[in-house]
Amino acid sequence: QVQLVESGGGVVQPGRSLRLSCAASGFTFSNYGMHWVRQAPGKGLEWVALISYDGSNKWYADSVKGRFTISRDNSKNTLYLQMNSLRAEDTAVYYCTKDLGGGAIDYWGQGTLVTVSS
Amino acid sequence: QSVLTQPPSVSAAPGQRVTISCSGSSSNIGNNYGNSYVSWYQQLPGTAPKLLIYDNNKRPSGIPDRFSGSKSGTSATLGITGLQTGDEAVYYCGTWDSSLSAEVFGTGTKVTVL
């Protein structure tokens, strides 16, 4: 079955960097686009970024553009999110998710919590 | 701020039916080209969201037919019939916005079973 396991979350000071990873299994990773979606404590879902199946195309939310970079290593079935210049408002659970196509997301990881605080 | 608007909450007694609206615009739900399909997600307390409906009205394997979706113009609707206590959750709509080149989600609707 499809599994998405995030890692790399934690507490980080404002302005610092953090890299999230997502290990994918149970499907042909290199055939699908992948998203990062986040959820601040007690708030709704916020889309962060999308990467195409081969990594050639990337899209970002305006709130993270220029600070976050999504990437993937299809040889390792792993998705990444490099987060630089972190702000307090980046505090959230970050979900690694699989794109179904047609704008839908069919699988979600369990999430990893990122807390930006001094 | 979310691009798609949903009511904050809906409630009904067990066995009853509820509907949740999702209002967008011509650049997302009402887009007649590309990825204008609407999806719906259920988020039970303390868990990750789960896909309920995709392509406006299709159910993934394992999702009961008590859940249904529809789209008309720039709005979409999720229907839940035969409401159960296990349906208490927050529900989100989502789609691709062609103007933003971004996935967008609704504001979320909390369903309460009375």
Side-chain angles (χ1 to χ4, degrees):
Chain A
Q1 71 281 21
V2 172
Q3 282 200 305
L4 300 169
V5 180
E6 303 94 337
S7 60
V11 180
V12 61
Q13 293 179 327
R16 303 297 290 265
S17 298
L18 204 62
R19 188 177 85 155
L20 305 183
S21 299
C22 170
S25 61
F27 66 104
T28 305
F29 181 71
S30 58
N31 285 355
Y32 293 92
M34 298 291 293
H35 306 251
W36 287 99
V37 177
R38 69 184 181 183
Q39 187 170 35
K43 302 297 184 182
L45 302 175
E46 181 186 15
W47 175 80
V48 174
L50 165 65
I51 187 168
S52 60
Y53 69 99
D54 61 355
S56 62
N57 291 292
K58 304 174 185 181
W59 297 263
Y60 297 94
D62 286 345
S63 57
V64 307
K65 203 170 293 183
R67 299 188 299 123
F68 289 11
T69 301
I70 189 172
S71 62
R72 65 190 298 159
D73 186 337
N74 285 346
S75 68
K76 296 181 179 179
N77 288 350
T78 302
L79 177 71
Y80 302 100
L81 185 67
Q82 177 67 42
M83 305 185 293
N84 299 332
S85 303
L86 282 162
R87 306 167 179 166
E89 54 264 36
D90 295 319
T91 294
V93 173
Y94 285 73
Y95 293 103
C96 166
T97 72
K98 174 182 169 290
D99 187 67
L100 174 61
I105 291 172
D106 58 350
Y107 289 97
W108 301 64
Q110 84 286 352
T112 187
L113 176 62
V114 172
T115 303
V116 184
S117 173
S118 54
Chain B
Q1 61 281 13
S2 297
V3 172
L4 306 179
T5 303
Q6 301 178 231
S9 64
V10 297
S11 60
Q16 296 298 303
R17 178 176 184 261
V18 295
T19 60
I20 301 171
S21 60
C22 174
S23 178
S25 68
S26 58
S27 65
N28 42 68
I29 295 176
N31 188 358
N32 291 322
Y33 304 95
N35 288 340
S36 67
Y37 299 108
V38 178
S39 305
W40 289 92
Y41 305 90
Q42 177 194 60
Q43 188 172 31
L44 297 168
T47 70
K50 180 174 79 170
L51 179 65
L52 280 183
I53 298 288
Y54 68 99
D55 288 0
N56 302 329
N57 55 19
K58 297 177 182 175
R59 284 176 285 106
S61 174
I63 301 300
D65 59 7
R66 299 188 300 107
F67 296 92
S68 63
S70 63
K71 188 187 95 165
S72 178
T74 59
S75 294
T77 301
L78 174 71
I80 310 174
T81 59
L83 202 61
Q84 302 175 0
T85 56
D87 297 332
E88 286 202 330
V90 179
Y91 294 80
Y92 296 92
C93 56
T95 189
W96 184 260
D97 189 295
S98 59
S99 293
L100 298 174
S101 291
E103 183 77 14
V104 291
F105 292 104
T107 47
T109 299
K110 180 173 174 55
V111 170
T112 301
V113 182
L114 301 173

